[in-house]
Amino acid sequence: MTSLKKPPTMSDVAKLAGVSTMTVSRALKPGASASRATRQKILAAAETLGYVLDSTAAGLSSGKTGFIAATIPSINNGNFADTVRGLTDGLAETNLQILLGYTNYDATEEERLIEQFLRRRPEAIVVTGGWHTDRCRRLLEMADVTVVETWDLPENPIDEVVGFSNANAAKVMVHHFHDQGYRCIGFIGGDTTHDPRGLSRRQGFVAALAELGLETKRLVAAGRPPITMREGASALRDLLAKWPDTEAVMCVSDLSAFGAMTECQRAGLRVPEDIAIAGFGAYDLSEHAIPPITTIDVSAYELGKLAAETIIRRAQDAGARPAKISRKIDPQLIARKSTSRAE
Amino acid sequence: MTSLKKPPTMSDVAKLAGVSTMTVSRALKPGASASRATRQKILAAAETLGYVLDSTAAGLSSGKTGFIAATIPSINNGNFADTVRGLTDGLAETNLQILLGYTNYDATEEERLIEQFLRRRPEAIVVTGGWHTDRCRRLLEMADVTVVETWDLPENPIDEVVGFSNANAAKVMVHHFHDQGYRCIGFIGGDTTHDPRGLSRRQGFVAALAELGLETKRLVAAGRPPITMREGASALRDLLAKWPDTEAVMCVSDLSAFGAMTECQRAGLRVPEDIAIAGFGAYDLSEHAIPPITTIDVSAYELGKLAAETIIRRAQDAGARPAKISRKIDPQLIARKSTSRAE
DNA sequence: TTGAAAGCGTTACCAG
DNA sequence: CTGGTAACGCTTTCAA
């Protein structure tokens, strides 16, 4: 559809409607201060010409781009997608548009993305987690916008935080296992170098076991995050090969848990009678699997919603607002059959 | 992090480096035509000031925003996420940024999104499917950019097409069922009013059955797309309640197929011995489920990659290029245990 | 309610 | 390789 004529501008519309560009500009805004009549003329002229406002020019002139930048580790992940949905829904009343990027669980890629996004002059930035490259952190600190870190509780936040404790979530799960009578408990996660949240869960897992006086050695790192069903499956094989007496396994995500569980079933092990399996993230999958899989709900959608609220609040406080306010969510255990010890 | 000082501009950098803004502008570009020495000075000055290029201004001035707009029906869908990944990867060499939006399978919401995106003056637009509101179509036609419709083969394309025939994909599945000896075959999909691709699959399903001289009545509409595992499960109950002699079921997606399959298992029906189940989309899930689920791979990632190639090609042909070239992909059947008739 | 003028920060264009 | 100047299309600001 590449024609040659230049697209109409506001002054074309103004000319056709017989008014000034300023009047057009105002008539096109929501809270239009223009008389009914002129506004009709203007709208008609715009329609005739096929005029579309140029936000690039508007943004340059007004100093407001209407962008919110957000980075998530992976776009192909229901949990992060839920957070983005929450963010979008929370921003629906505003005219803010989301500039979404995914980092592939790579801090360097995150840095690259943030650098790109900063050029767009977003009015706020939402990032996943509190672990960034030094340069990335510096960029975020120097950027003159609200920064919201989510999905974690960074010890030293850049600005605002809307998250939860991954370590504590793992602890909740360990206690659930313990309550059910399991004592030899393993953990399946990804390599610990790329997924800080996965690492926190693993650390929380180990710490909780230690507190209970249980063995903490049954840890398998299954590859580069995000780990897949396949990696969950092979990790389970590895785990049982090394520690055959393992009674229960916590997986870093529902997907890997499902992979691990089906691997058990293929191997003739009954879940939960022979081995218990739990996941993380409260995917639909864990609810519908047979047996249903115990998991942790971190309220991913809510996280996005709260991030949006935070951004809006900060925008209204126009200007100064140094306080670093955390919105903390408590992950909820969803106990299901997959970890219910046969009496 | 809201400070009061205005962020540094290019002219601040120029001043500090003792050159003109033009030299700064050039030195900051990839193919920099600036002497080693001045460029070092400039980079140093930029670093000192914490300068970040303002793409808004750059875009206004150059007439190139560096945006590619893309809309998908749902962000929480592995298939569409794969297409976005393909698009991103395909665009990696360029400096183009993706402006992503999701429509919730709602043509009106798509129209709203496209209208918003158009204001950002994207250099190309990728949309899912060929079914738009009249106004949305008009907007896309009048926009002076490459438009790529994906995930379908519209009869009357707006511009470029990178897709596949959903109807034909369903036909392939029907023939697979037929080859396996199944004759009483049902279809589970969402309401037909919101998902044109789901509707095409259903129509292709019916047409293929009719060609084979089989009954075409076993159709269940399970709710607003995208249909979930739960809806797949309840739809299966409905289907069997109405037509108890059904031997096989094609589902509009792998997720609903999984829901349907687990529902069978809960009801004590063996898959595939008592009933065959197939899905659509080649999710990991269908590979790891027990039994593994027969599905169709539509090469979602490839679709995005090809869309990117199309966009790049059109950008190079600078200007005229009226031809509507389709990149057609052939969906591949992945036959698995869930539809393998016990001999 | 409307308009005129002055930018917003960058790059295109043309000189040197 | 470098610099001056004029846009780019809009909104801010100040007047009327």
Side-chain angles (χ1 to χ4, degrees):
Chain A
M1 299 288 91
T2 330
S3 79
L4 299 174
K5 206 170 35 131
K6 289 197 312 180
T9 70
M10 199 171 260
S11 88
D12 294 325
V13 177
K15 217 163 294 170
L16 184 58
V19 295
S20 73
T21 60
M22 263 324 296
T23 306
V24 176
S25 175
R26 286 190 274 246
L28 261 32
K29 282 240 169 309
S33 62
S35 77
R36 255 187 140 353
T38 48
R39 143 165 257 191
Q40 289 307 328
K41 265 193 309 192
I42 289 167
L43 258 26
E47 188 62 31
T48 307
L49 297 173
Y51 172 71
V52 177
L53 179 72
D54 185 336
S55 333
T56 303
L60 178 60
S61 178
S62 68
K64 298 197 155 302
T65 58
F67 278 132
I68 301 291
T71 64
I72 53 179
S74 163
I75 191 178
N76 193 350
N77 176 306
N79 283 163
F80 296 128
D82 280 344
T83 298
V84 173
R85 285 197 309 109
L87 189 60
T88 309
D89 289 354
L91 257 23
E93 301 293 286
T94 71
N95 281 314
L96 297 165
Q97 230 168 67
I98 295 179
L99 211 46
L100 183 68
Y102 56 93
T103 67
N104 282 324
Y105 293 87
D106 179 348
T108 306
E109 180 62 14
E110 182 192 44
E111 176 186 318
R112 208 186 58 75
L113 264 179
I114 292 293
E115 198 167 4
Q116 270 202 13
F117 283 166
L118 248 21
R119 292 205 227 281
R120 300 289 183 183
R121 298 291 187 270
E123 300 177 31
I125 301 183
V126 180
V127 297
T128 307
W131 188 64
H132 318 283
T133 65
D134 289 347
R135 181 171 149 68
C136 182
R137 189 185 171 98
R138 211 174 332 118
L139 287 171
L140 289 171
E141 284 170 344
M142 291 190 357
D144 191 34
V145 295
T146 303
V147 174
V148 184
E149 291 170 289
T150 64
W151 272 83
D152 214 339
L153 296 179
E155 284 182 31
N156 183 19
I158 296 174
D159 189 6
E160 301 274 3
V161 175
V162 175
F164 60 90
S165 165
N166 284 277
N168 198 59
K171 182 176 178 175
V172 167
M173 185 62 87
V174 167
H175 285 177
H176 167 70
F177 277 133
H178 189 257
D179 292 347
Q180 294 287 314
Y182 298 106
R183 292 300 178 267
C184 301
I185 311 171
F187 183 90
I188 290 175
D191 292 343
T192 53
T193 48
H194 280 283
D195 180 6
R197 287 160 299 289
L199 177 58
S200 294
R201 287 171 211 161
R202 175 170 156 154
Q203 289 170 335
F205 172 84
V206 169
L209 284 184
E211 276 176 21
L212 293 168
L214 301 178
E215 269 180 15
T216 62
K217 64 186 179 190
R218 301 163 200 259
L219 309 172
V220 178
R224 200 174 187 302
I227 67 170
T228 59
M229 291 180 183
R230 164 163 293 113
E231 288 161 332
S234 66
L236 185 103
R237 279 198 301 275
D238 296 347
L239 184 71
L240 290 184
K242 204 154 176 189
W243 301 287
D245 60 336
T246 301
E247 303 166 343
V249 181
M250 169 175 184
C251 300
V252 76
S253 69
D254 278 358
L255 302 187
S256 48
F258 182 77
M261 188 174 84
T262 54
E263 182 63 21
C264 291
Q265 296 171 337
R266 270 179 233 106
L269 292 171
R270 292 164 306 164
V271 177
E273 290 80 359
D274 299 321
I275 187 165
I277 303 277
F280 196 102
Y283 285 68
D284 276 0
L285 173 59
S286 59
E287 180 181 346
H288 289 270
I290 299 180
I293 303 173
T294 293
T295 189
I296 298 268
D297 183 0
V298 301
S299 307
Y301 178 86
E302 203 61 21
L303 248 24
K305 211 85 197 260
L306 289 174
E309 280 175 21
T310 302
I311 289 167
I312 291 171
R313 176 170 50 71
R314 282 284 294 268
Q316 289 165 346
D317 279 359
R321 181 50 170 268
K324 305 190 177 184
I325 298 170
S326 289
R327 301 295 293 269
K328 195 172 153 217
I329 280 191
D330 281 316
Q332 298 296 315
L333 176 78
I334 303 179
R336 298 207 178 102
K337 181 104 182 290
S338 74
T339 57
S340 146
R341 187 136 229 185
E343 306 297 309
Chain B
M1 299 284 93
T2 330
S3 79
L4 300 174
K5 207 171 33 131
K6 288 198 312 181
T9 70
M10 200 172 258
S11 88
D12 294 325
V13 177
K15 217 163 292 169
L16 184 58
V19 295
S20 72
T21 60
M22 267 320 298
T23 305
V24 175
S25 174
R26 284 191 276 246
L28 260 33
K29 282 240 168 312
S33 61
S35 78
R36 255 182 141 352
T38 47
R39 142 166 260 185
Q40 289 306 329
K41 264 192 310 192
I42 290 168
L43 258 28
E47 187 64 31
T48 307
L49 296 173
Y51 173 71
V52 177
L53 179 72
D54 185 336
S55 334
T56 303
L60 177 59
S61 178
S62 68
K64 297 192 157 306
T65 58
F67 278 131
I68 300 292
T71 64
I72 54 179
S74 163
I75 191 179
N76 193 351
N77 176 306
N79 283 163
F80 296 128
D82 281 343
T83 298
V84 173
R85 285 198 307 110
L87 190 61
T88 309
D89 290 353
L91 256 24
E93 302 292 287
T94 71
N95 281 315
L96 297 166
Q97 231 168 67
I98 295 178
L99 211 46
L100 183 67
Y102 57 92
T103 68
N104 282 322
Y105 293 88
D106 179 347
T108 305
E109 180 62 13
E110 182 192 44
E111 176 186 317
R112 209 187 57 77
L113 264 179
I114 293 293
E115 198 167 5
Q116 270 202 11
F117 283 165
L118 248 21
R119 292 203 227 280
R120 299 289 182 182
R121 297 292 187 269
E123 300 177 31
I125 302 183
V126 180
V127 297
T128 307
W131 189 65
H132 318 282
T133 66
D134 289 346
R135 182 171 148 69
C136 182
R137 187 183 172 101
R138 211 175 329 119
L139 287 171
L140 289 171
E141 285 171 343
M142 293 191 355
D144 191 34
V145 294
T146 303
V147 174
V148 184
E149 291 171 287
T150 64
W151 271 82
D152 215 338
L153 296 179
E155 284 182 32
N156 183 20
I158 296 174
D159 189 7
E160 301 273 3
V161 174
V162 175
F164 59 90
S165 165
N166 284 277
N168 198 58
K171 182 175 180 176
V172 167
M173 185 63 85
V174 168
H175 285 177
H176 167 70
F177 278 134
H178 190 257
D179 292 347
Q180 294 287 315
Y182 297 105
R183 292 298 178 269
C184 300
I185 312 173
F187 183 90
I188 289 175
D191 292 344
T192 54
T193 47
H194 279 284
D195 180 6
R197 287 160 299 290
L199 177 57
S200 293
R201 287 170 210 161
R202 175 168 155 156
Q203 289 169 336
F205 172 84
V206 169
L209 284 184
E211 277 176 20
L212 293 169
L214 300 178
E215 269 180 15
T216 62
K217 66 186 179 191
R218 301 163 199 260
L219 309 171
V220 177
R224 203 176 184 300
I227 66 171
T228 60
M229 291 180 182
R230 163 163 294 115
E231 288 161 331
S234 66
L236 185 103
R237 279 198 300 276
D238 295 347
L239 184 70
L240 289 185
K242 203 152 177 191
W243 302 287
D245 60 338
T246 301
E247 302 166 344
V249 182
M250 169 175 184
C251 301
V252 75
S253 70
D254 278 0
L255 302 186
S256 48
F258 182 77
M261 187 173 84
T262 54
E263 183 64 20
C264 291
Q265 296 171 336
R266 269 179 234 108
L269 292 171
R270 291 165 306 164
V271 177
E273 290 80 359
D274 299 321
I275 188 167
I277 304 277
F280 195 102
Y283 285 67
D284 276 1
L285 173 59
S286 58
E287 180 182 347
H288 291 270
I290 299 180
I293 303 173
T294 294
T295 189
I296 297 267
D297 183 0
V298 301
S299 308
Y301 179 86
E302 203 61 21
L303 247 24
K305 216 79 201 261
L306 288 175
E309 281 175 21
T310 302
I311 288 167
I312 292 171
R313 176 169 50 71
R314 282 284 294 269
Q316 289 166 346
D317 280 358
R321 182 47 171 270
K324 305 190 177 184
I325 299 169
S326 288
R327 301 294 294 270
K328 194 172 153 215
I329 280 191
D330 282 315
Q332 300 295 313
L333 175 77
I334 303 179
R336 298 207 177 103
K337 181 101 182 291
S338 74
T339 57
S340 145
R341 187 134 227 184
E343 306 294 309

